[in-house]
Amino acid sequence: MRPGAVTVGAVHGAALLLGLTAFGSTLWYGVVEPGNALAFGTLVVLGELARWGAAPEMGVPPAAEDLRGSEPAPLAAAGCLAYALLGASAGTATTHGVLQTVAVVVAAGLAGIVPHLARGRGPTPDHLARRVLTVAFAALCFQPLYNSGAVIEHLGHGPPYALFLLLLLVLTALCDAVLAALLLRARTGFPYGPLLRDELRALLGIGSAVCATGTVMALGVAAAGLWALPVLAVPLLLTQFSFRRYAAVRTVNRQTIASLARATEIAGCTPPGHARRVALLSTAVGRELGLSGAELTVLEHAALMHDIGQLSLVDPVQGGATATLPADEQRRIALLGGEVVRRTGVPTAVAVIVERQADPYREQPLPARIVRAVNAYDDLAGVEGPGAALDALERLRLGTARDYHPDVVECLARVLARGGAPGVTSAVTG
């Protein structure tokens, strides 16, 4: 069994065992303070029903930022965290404890995702496991301390108490980021450091809003009772709808780019699947080299459209392999491609990479170096089997003195040795 499969299985197994233990304990001892459980459970259900996200388009590689474990149901996440950090309701201390917190969160989450599962758009098992483990972490850090009286004795009910809740939520968010990066590392083989860095950067977006809302919900219910929940949920719900509109626009952009990338294949300018393979491998190499999530997205889009300049040629390139052309001809096609990309409304950064992919590598930005090397590898390797793949990689190594950056070629070799990128089968096994 692969080490990655062991890691994923361990995380899923821990979450499953914790969930079953929580259900068993709650059924055995009964639900404590059922009103609070029902209110927060309802909030989580509504948050899950309002989650965004769609099944990926067939044949379109996911955007680089979609590899991160971004929170698609922020209202549900905030409700889960608020219940885990709920110490009082309308001035009356709560005693629901850690296991009931996990049981309510799991039951409500499963109830809320049923309609999404019916449409084939539910959350992944990784996301469900992270939700269970992070909520359990928050509850375990807070509930025993609060129920023992230590928190109120040392912090009281003023600003120090609010800061304590916020600190716990920050620690919980860090725990979730570590888990998300660990699971993605296990599934993709990407380096752990850049994955964790991207997760931490993502916390500054919707993650910070979830933490802040969770804190305010816990404090609001402690002071005013359950009536505070719907009022405090409105701002985050409005934010969620705004994010859904942004996600819809991003999806349209991806579909436009994917259609343009397919145009070269439909016209017979490039082999089937060439643009997709180059995009997936380029993203994997970029992550290996430490590019951020936003930079990876630009790289992916440029890789998808790197051959679009061939549509402007009167005589198509034989087999679509531009890597074997003279340098001047490669440069001309790249400039034509950049001009086409600029006319499509795609960000200028994408057009710059497309038009500079044929420059001398010492003058290229890193994304253009990556696209050039990966495109050449796919052109040279074709679909001839392991021998052709190894020969193509060796030819890239021989070209590092003039055409390809040595670091990019070595990173490509490491990615291929691990089996390539997700969705691309590598013929290089070592």
Side-chain angles (χ1 to χ4, degrees):
M1 182 179 294
R2 295 185 300 106
V6 174
T7 301
V8 172
V11 173
H12 289 184
L16 179 61
L17 180 61
L18 181 58
L20 293 176
T21 303
F23 274 117
S25 174
T26 303
L27 291 174
W28 182 262
Y29 293 105
V31 178
V32 179
E33 297 149 359
N36 292 340
L38 179 61
F40 280 93
T42 301
L43 180 64
V44 172
V45 170
L46 293 176
E48 290 291 349
L49 290 174
R51 73 165 40 239
W52 66 70
E57 183 188 358
M58 185 65 65
V60 181
E65 66 267 26
D66 293 342
L67 291 173
R68 298 199 305 268
S70 54
E71 179 56 65
L75 183 59
C80 292
L81 294 175
Y83 190 52
L85 302 183
L86 183 66
S89 179
T92 303
T94 61
T95 58
H96 54 276
V98 177
L99 292 179
Q100 180 173 310
T101 299
V102 174
V104 170
V105 165
V106 171
L110 292 177
I113 66 175
V114 167
H116 299 292
L117 291 175
R119 293 181 294 177
R121 299 184 177 185
T124 64
D126 287 357
H127 185 270
L128 296 177
R130 285 168 45 205
R131 172 71 63 79
V132 173
L133 294 176
T134 52
V135 168
F137 175 83
L140 187 61
C141 290
F142 176 78
Q143 293 291 335
L145 288 175
Y146 187 90
N147 293 337
S148 67
V151 174
I152 300 303
E153 179 183 351
H154 292 90
L155 300 179
H157 293 281
Y161 177 66
L163 291 176
F164 174 66
L165 291 185
L166 188 58
L167 175 62
L168 288 183
L169 283 176
V170 171
L171 291 176
T172 303
L174 292 175
C175 174
D176 184 59
V178 169
L179 275 177
L182 182 66
L183 288 168
L184 190 53
R185 169 71 176 85
R187 291 194 177 279
T188 65
F190 293 153
Y192 183 77
L195 291 174
L196 180 59
R197 183 193 61 193
D198 284 348
E199 290 292 338
L200 295 176
R201 284 178 175 173
L203 293 179
L204 300 177
I206 195 66
S208 60
V210 169
C211 289
T213 304
T215 303
V216 172
M217 281 181 174
L219 293 173
V221 172
L226 296 174
W227 292 106
L229 275 183
V231 176
L232 297 174
V234 169
L236 188 58
L237 189 59
L238 294 176
T239 301
Q240 180 169 340
F241 284 132
S242 298
F243 266 76
R244 289 187 69 172
R245 295 187 63 181
Y246 164 75
V249 172
R250 193 180 69 184
T251 299
V252 171
N253 288 338
R254 286 182 60 205
Q255 291 171 343
T256 300
I257 292 171
S259 298
L260 289 170
R262 289 195 188 104
T264 58
E265 298 177 11
I266 295 172
C269 298
T270 56
H274 170 72
R276 181 176 182 274
R277 291 192 300 272
V278 171
L280 289 169
L281 275 177
S282 294
T283 303
V285 172
R287 192 175 293 278
E288 184 90 9
L289 288 168
L291 296 184
S292 68
E295 292 169 330
L296 287 172
T297 300
V298 172
L299 171 61
E300 178 191 322
H301 292 171
L304 280 170
M305 304 177 72
H306 75 279
D307 270 330
I308 200 168
Q310 294 198 44
L311 294 176
S312 302
L313 299 179
V314 177
D315 297 320
V317 178
Q318 180 68 29
T322 56
T324 58
L325 296 176
D328 290 344
E329 185 65 13
Q330 291 185 38
R331 175 64 175 159
R332 185 173 76 88
I333 295 174
L335 290 174
L336 290 172
E339 183 63 27
V340 173
V341 172
R342 291 179 190 277
R343 293 173 181 267
T344 64
V346 173
T348 303
V350 177
V352 170
I353 296 172
V354 171
E355 66 187 9
R356 297 196 63 184
Q357 62 179 304
D359 288 357
Y361 79 75
R362 292 178 178 83
E363 303 173 11
Q364 290 176 310
L366 179 57
R369 294 173 178 176
I370 295 172
V371 172
R372 177 172 187 169
V374 174
N375 172 61
Y377 169 78
D378 196 77
D379 281 347
L380 296 172
V383 292
E384 299 298 329
L390 291 171
D391 180 64
L393 193 56
E394 185 61 26
R395 290 177 66 179
L396 260 62
R397 286 192 170 111
L398 293 174
T400 53
R402 183 186 63 183
D403 298 322
Y404 311 110
H405 196 284
D407 292 343
V408 173
V409 174
E410 290 310 309
C411 282
L412 174 60
R414 289 198 296 271
V415 170
L416 293 170
R418 290 199 303 263
V424 176
T425 301
S426 171
V428 179
T429 58

